[in-house]
Amino acid sequence: MRTLSRFFGIILFSTVLLLSCKTQQNSHRTLGKTGIESTIPAKPEQQLPSKPIPSAAIALQPLNVDLPEIPREFRGVWIATVMNIDWPERGTDSWEKQKKDFKTLLDYYKDLNFNTVIVQIRAAGDAFYPSSLAPWSRYLTGKEGQAPATRENPLTWMIQEAHKRGLEFHAWLNPYRATFDLKTESLSPDHDFNKHRDWMLKYGSKYYYNPGLPEVKSHLTAIIKEIVDNYQIDAIHFDDYFYPYKVGTEIFPDKKTYEQYKKAGQSIEDWRRANVNDLVEAAHHTIKSSKPWVQFGISPFGVWRNQDKDPNGSATRAGQTNYDDLYADPLTWMKEGWIDYLIPQLYWSMDYELASYRKLNDWWSNQSHGTNIYIGNGPYKIRDNADVAWNNPQEINNQIHYSRTLPQIQGNAFFSAKSLFSKNQDVAGLLKEELYNLPTLPPAYQPTKTSRIEHPRVLVVDSNPDFTKVQLERPLDPAIRYAMIQGSDDLGQLSNSHIHTVWVAGSSIRNLEVSSLNTAYLAIRWVDHFGRIVSTQVFQTPKKSRP
């Protein structure tokens, strides 16, 4: 059984024992269980300090104090931009209003103690960032291909705002959807529909990229590389739209491509699944070859296969499934190690007859294959669904309570942002009061190779009523992603104080600054690109003015 109450009990107990804990050392050490080999090698400084440091200065020594571990649980929210579902409210809004609305959303979920935002930056062959591979999105600017009226890069700004609040930013892409309707006259000349008409297949009321074409896979991986190389994202995220959900008896028109590219004896169903697998594998290699610490996550439809089709499937009667209808095989992705996390979308109530949230949690928990599993929850259905179970304001809390009992389930994500913001704030209040009352960190990841990380050494702590500045002896190791800083006049309460997150994103800076920390004691946890705490330090600070 895994509950956060157990973790928080450990925190309170550990705080009482703070003064009896072992010293944090700033010397050569190896943390074998984490795969981190931390040391302080001699190497040239990468930039000059902001002000001269006496050559004889000696780094501050940490106190004889250990801090308790911070609990880990993924708490994510999808921010959907297609059709302006969550943000922006309108593409025609001014950039300043859009910024204000985005910050309001971030502040709201930060106050609820969430730790991750999953933001849709490619909805239908478009982009929420300047790109040579896709036109600007109409959902951002009101007209496809029209740049926003700002010199700021919207994606860079969004990532920075999320990081300021200690929120991970997962860049959500819809790979195969090319248009959201058939009104192609409104598409930009730079849209792939107009540049590569031979890539497009019409199905139902939309156009899709043809998943069977090698040039489509190359194009999509180039889009991923452009994002990973140029932005400080924490993850690339795909949703559940692979081959489209079936529309009546209409047949997806890819038979010609199948005949051209199929292998001997390969059925069209297996060929389609192979196409999706090839994209997922290529995306994985594209991401990891550029930045190994950037995660790759997918949120598939909640049912892999029904038991009536496969004895290994779930005890469900879903009308469509990943394997048989969307030609997506999440089990293969996990077995092959192509993804870092999976968020199956279980948007049903606890005991829904056709697809029970409870039964599907059990099933996915047993299918993780070493991959982090988070559960996708559907608060958009609260008080707005034929299933009367959603009339109960405790339905979401009951679901999370159950997910926490399963050792392989490590968190939850919620679709979508406005469902707990524009409405159902009473449910959000219950969530914070009963389950999300304290902050957590998202799960950490292990690199495939042992990484050498230089422990930061603090030289000066300069505190006054307005700010606290931490000056380092040497530039930060670029492998450090952020610092979590806490201050208190009571050493016994230090670990319970507010956490100030300073995101450095791999830069080799020598100064960190937070506002309004004029306390007798200071704690700093240094976190690397993979989310691991590589060093924890506690200092007594020389306050310039005492209360």
Side-chain angles (χ1 to χ4, degrees):
M1 303 283 281
R2 180 184 57 83
T3 64
L4 284 187
S5 59
R6 179 173 178 269
F7 281 115
F8 297 144
I10 292 172
I11 285 180
L12 293 175
F13 178 74
S14 301
T15 302
V16 176
L17 299 179
L18 279 172
L19 294 178
S20 65
C21 295
K22 295 181 180 179
T23 305
Q24 284 284 343
Q25 296 292 337
N26 264 334
S27 59
H28 289 39
R29 63 184 292 192
T30 300
L31 305 180
K33 291 184 178 179
T34 64
I36 308 169
E37 184 180 330
S38 301
T39 184
I40 305 180
K43 66 179 184 180
E45 296 183 356
Q46 300 179 28
Q47 66 179 48
L48 293 174
S50 58
K51 57 184 178 182
I53 299 176
S55 58
I58 300 175
L60 290 176
Q61 293 302 310
L63 296 178
N64 228 1
V65 172
D66 273 346
L67 295 182
E69 292 292 328
I70 297 177
R72 300 269 185 174
E73 181 180 61
F74 187 88
R75 298 175 181 174
V77 59
W78 280 284
I79 299 178
T81 59
V82 65
M83 299 296 291
N84 300 109
I85 291 174
D86 293 315
W87 179 86
E89 287 189 0
R90 289 170 293 275
T92 54
D93 286 345
S94 69
W95 173 235
E96 290 305 313
K97 182 182 185 304
Q98 291 177 349
K99 288 169 64 175
K100 180 182 177 182
D101 291 343
F102 191 75
K103 288 192 289 187
T104 298
L105 270 182
L106 295 185
D107 288 339
Y108 182 77
Y109 280 96
K110 176 64 177 178
D111 182 67
L112 290 176
N113 287 320
F114 278 59
N115 54 38
T116 303
V117 289
I118 306 168
V119 183
Q120 190 174 30
I121 65 168
R122 177 182 170 87
D126 54 6
F128 272 63
Y129 52 93
S131 173
S132 62
L133 301 170
W136 285 102
S137 175
R138 74 185 70 179
Y139 305 121
L140 179 67
T141 70
K143 181 180 179 181
E144 188 173 278
Q146 177 177 289
T150 177
R151 292 185 178 181
E152 287 184 295
N153 181 324
L155 181 53
T156 299
W157 178 84
M158 287 189 285
I159 295 168
Q160 289 173 346
E161 289 299 316
H163 286 170
K164 282 180 185 178
R165 293 159 176 80
L167 299 167
E168 285 194 355
F169 188 100
H170 293 213
W172 168 15
L173 315 179
N174 189 289
Y176 289 136
R177 185 170 61 205
T179 71
F180 203 76
D181 53 38
L182 299 178
K183 299 176 182 178
T184 57
E185 65 277 4
S186 64
L187 297 176
S188 163
D190 293 327
H191 191 283
D192 286 328
F193 178 87
N194 292 316
K195 294 175 67 176
H196 302 284
R197 187 71 60 89
D198 56 318
W199 292 359
M200 301 292 145
L201 294 176
K202 177 183 173 294
Y203 184 70
S205 61
K206 299 177 179 65
Y207 282 93
Y208 296 88
Y209 288 86
N210 187 342
L213 294 176
E215 51 267 43
V216 165
K217 182 181 74 174
S218 298
H219 180 67
L220 294 175
T221 53
I223 288 168
I224 292 169
K225 182 172 175 56
E226 182 183 54
I227 297 166
V228 174
D229 285 351
N230 292 296
Y231 297 96
Q232 296 290 346
I233 60 169
D234 302 294
I236 289 289
H237 180 92
F238 287 175
D239 56 15
D240 55 318
Y241 290 98
F242 292 99
Y243 278 81
Y245 286 88
K246 291 185 176 178
V247 179
T249 58
E250 187 174 351
I251 297 173
F252 192 70
D254 61 348
K255 186 176 181 180
K256 181 179 178 181
T257 315
Y258 164 65
E259 294 294 342
Q260 181 179 359
Y261 290 105
K262 69 178 180 179
K263 295 179 180 179
Q266 189 177 38
S267 69
I268 192 169
E269 292 82 9
D270 287 341
W271 173 78
R272 288 171 176 168
R273 279 185 285 270
N275 292 332
V276 176
N277 287 345
D278 287 347
L279 175 65
V280 172
E281 182 182 13
H284 164 80
H285 290 301
T286 299
I287 295 165
K288 302 303 180 181
S289 63
S290 179
K291 295 178 181 176
W293 56 86
V294 171
Q295 303 164 44
F296 183 27
I298 298 180
S299 56
F301 180 69
V303 178
W304 175 67
R305 299 191 85 183
N306 295 319
Q307 275 185 349
D308 65 350
K309 287 288 185 69
D310 189 323
N312 295 318
S314 53
T316 52
R317 290 181 284 129
Q320 299 195 47
T321 68
N322 277 297
Y323 190 91
D324 297 299
D325 300 288
L326 307 181
Y327 305 103
D329 188 6
L331 299 192
T332 293
W333 311 334
M334 292 189 288
K335 290 175 183 176
E336 296 294 336
W338 294 335
I339 58 175
D340 297 296
Y341 68 80
L342 193 82
I343 313 181
Q345 298 176 19
L346 307 189
Y347 299 161
W348 301 286
S349 60
M350 284 289 288
D351 297 301
Y352 183 60
E353 182 182 2
L354 300 180
S356 158
Y357 180 91
R358 187 191 313 274
K359 291 179 181 179
L360 283 166
N361 265 256
D362 294 342
W363 190 87
W364 284 106
S365 178
N366 292 324
Q367 302 294 332
S368 68
H369 300 285
T371 302
N372 282 10
I373 300 285
Y374 317 133
I375 298 300
N377 300 79
Y380 72 94
K381 287 187 173 181
I382 296 171
R383 304 183 180 104
D384 190 22
N385 194 261
D387 180 1
V388 296
W390 288 105
N391 294 335
N392 179 5
Q394 285 285 352
E395 176 65 24
I396 287 291
N397 279 19
N398 292 340
Q399 293 185 0
I400 298 171
H401 268 302
Y402 188 77
S403 296
R404 283 181 174 178
T405 68
L406 302 172
Q408 299 303 325
I409 306 299
Q410 299 175 334
N412 299 78
F414 300 83
F415 186 85
S416 66
K418 281 199 171 180
S419 63
L420 291 174
F421 173 72
S422 298
K423 56 181 182 178
N424 302 314
Q425 289 199 7
D426 60 327
V427 175
L430 290 172
L431 178 64
K432 181 179 181 181
E433 178 183 353
E434 297 178 7
L435 299 172
Y436 284 9
N437 55 311
L438 292 173
T440 65
L441 292 176
Y445 289 83
Q446 299 302 325
T448 55
K449 298 179 180 179
T450 299
S451 56
R452 295 173 62 85
I453 299 177
E454 180 180 344
H455 276 200
R457 296 191 68 181
V458 174
L459 190 68
V460 177
V461 175
D462 185 12
S463 296
N464 63 41
D466 299 318
F467 66 84
T468 293
K469 180 178 287 187
V470 177
Q471 195 164 1
L472 304 176
E473 184 183 43
R474 305 174 63 82
L476 266 179
D477 189 315
I480 299 294
R481 181 166 55 158
Y482 62 95
M484 297 187 299
I485 303 177
Q486 295 171 283
S488 177
D489 288 319
D490 183 345
L491 188 60
Q493 292 299 314
L494 183 60
S495 64
N496 297 323
S497 61
H498 177 74
I499 296 174
H500 298 261
T501 301
V502 182
W503 210 278
V504 296
S507 59
S508 298
I509 63 173
R510 290 187 65 167
N511 294 287
L512 306 180
E513 184 175 313
V514 294
S515 60
S516 305
L517 268 183
N518 187 34
T519 57
Y521 300 99
L522 194 74
I524 308 176
R525 291 179 175 91
W526 303 96
V527 184
D528 76 351
H529 279 305
F530 294 91
R532 302 169 300 175
I533 298 175
V534 299
S535 179
T536 300
Q537 302 163 344
V538 178
F539 304 98
Q540 186 167 8
T541 62
K543 292 166 59 178
K544 286 190 174 179
S545 62
R546 302 276 177 180

